[in-house]
Amino acid sequence: MLIKLRQSSECNEADVTPESIYLSRRTFMSTAAAVMALSSVPVWAQSATGERYAEVEPGKAPSWLAERIAATKWNAVTVKGEALTPFQDATHYNNFYEFGADKSDPAANAGSLKTEPWSVVIDGEVGKPGRYALEDFLKPYQLEERIYRLRCVEAWSMVIPWIGFPIAALLNKVGPTSAAKYIRFETLKDPQSMPGQRSNFGLIDWPYVEGLRLDEAMHPLAILAVGMYGRELPNQNGAPLRLVVPWKYGFKSIKSIVRISLVSEQPQTTWQSIAAQEYGFYANVNPTVDHPRWSQARERRLPSGLFSPNVRETQMFNGYADEVANLYSDLDLRKNY
Ligand SMILES: Nc1nc2c(c(=O)[nH]1)N[C@H]1C(S)=C(S)[C@@H](COP(=O)(O)O)O[C@H]1N2
Ligand SMILES: [Mo]
């Protein structure tokens, strides 16, 4: 896996590879064609973003967000030789318990989520706390496209082209104090629009909470996303703002964030609170440490069916070991799962 972070000024015509042109066709990538386009594509900002990915429903983003997304930099992290998950699968097989516990529930129910206006609170051990309208919150950051694997702890996976920006850029802006050791994220709590929060399914103590160590949050692969497949996030994928941490199990990638807090203690996170012996705070993808009830050695890559289950070996840190293993050199990954 390569990380390519080039300046758009370095782009030229020769950078437009056959693979990147392929992305603009109205068909999806086949496995054979899935050597992902690595180059910065200078025409990105000029082309209608909707043309870049086939069969993507056009979004209904407010104009300010559509404009920000149209100015996204092509800075993909590559997932070599692996096809993108079709938009239809990525948006109809979801975990978002606020909208129900079945994989099809979020797509069916998340229409009730009101994402505009939206505000984000930054508080805790931070030099510049505040509450920001999402538009102002995003203003300082260049949006980038990142193609990442997403590996759920339930042993299925996808490859998704996100649009977002590194959390490190946010942290550099708001200035964590020396007491800040962790970052804590909170999802919207709104039983009115979130039927899962009204149900008797009393397992989760809402709101959904996740967290990272500060050095994990500072890693350039960790992003806050506002879009996918060249458009804004569909509600079921965590609109309008979600975390994406590609080397960790999917439950760390918290959706529909309303609060970001810098804290001195390790936060109590949702799945760890429910079943600490099954879901750890770190939740790094690790094929050698099984879940107590199933193996983590392999995964079903969506789309996956009875006759083509599309099973592959799970990679250490979800294939991002070269980039992130050094964060954990002092840690026993069996104990700190
Ligand atoms: N607020 C919230 N965030 C959440 C979840 C959730 O139930 N609620 N599910 C998590 C899990 S288990 C996974 S695998 C990913 C799924 O993201 P996707 O639906 O965009 O693929 O979202 C994560 N973020
Ligand atoms: Mo998950």
Side-chain angles (χ1 to χ4, degrees), residues 94-98 150 158 187 208 237 242 250 253 255:
N94 301 101
N95 278 330
F96 199 169
Y97 279 74
E98 286 84 340
L150 175 78
M158 313 200 216
T187 294
Y208 194 99
N237 294 89
R242 72 172 291 172
S253 291
K255 297 175 167 180

Side-chain angles (χ1 to χ4, degrees), residues 150-165:
L150 175 78
R151 169 58 157 84
C152 178
V153 72
E154 299 162 338
W156 52 264
S157 66
M158 313 200 216
V159 176
I160 299 182
W162 303 105
I163 293 172
F165 63 96

Side-chain angles (χ1 to χ4, degrees), residues 13 48 110 196 242 263 267:
E13 237 1 81
R242 72 172 291 172
V263 294

Side-chain angles (χ1 to χ4, degrees), residues 230-261:
R231 50 157 284 171
E232 83 275 15
L233 291 170
N235 287 359
Q236 61 266 37
N237 294 89
L241 181 73
R242 72 172 291 172
L243 184 65
V244 181
V245 193
W247 68 95
K248 292 178 179 282
Y249 292 122
F251 67 82
K252 298 296 288 184
S253 291
I254 181 173
K255 297 175 167 180
S256 305
I257 295 167
V258 292
R259 186 174 173 203
I260 301 175
S261 311

Side-chain angles (χ1 to χ4, degrees), residues 249 276-292 294 296-297 316-317 328-337:
Y249 292 122
Q277 65 294 346
E278 300 189 13
Y279 309 102
F281 175 79
Y282 282 94
N284 291 315
V285 175
N286 188 338
T288 71
V289 176
D290 287 339
H291 185 278
W294 60 84
Q296 294 292 24
M316 189 64 202
F317 296 112
Y328 309 104
S329 47
D330 296 337
L331 215 61
D332 180 343
L333 296 175
R334 289 201 159 271
K335 290 199 184 112
N336 298 281
Y337 50 88

Side-chain angles (χ1 to χ4, degrees), residues 299-330:
E299 65 201 51
R300 259 183 327 116
R301 172 66 51 84
L302 298 185
S304 151
L306 196 55
F307 300 108
S308 55
N310 205 9
V311 170
R312 50 177 72 220
E313 306 276 307
T314 290
Q315 302 177 65
M316 189 64 202
F317 296 112
N318 205 22
Y320 303 99
D322 288 349
E323 288 78 17
V324 303
N326 64 318
L327 291 172
Y328 309 104
S329 47
D330 296 337

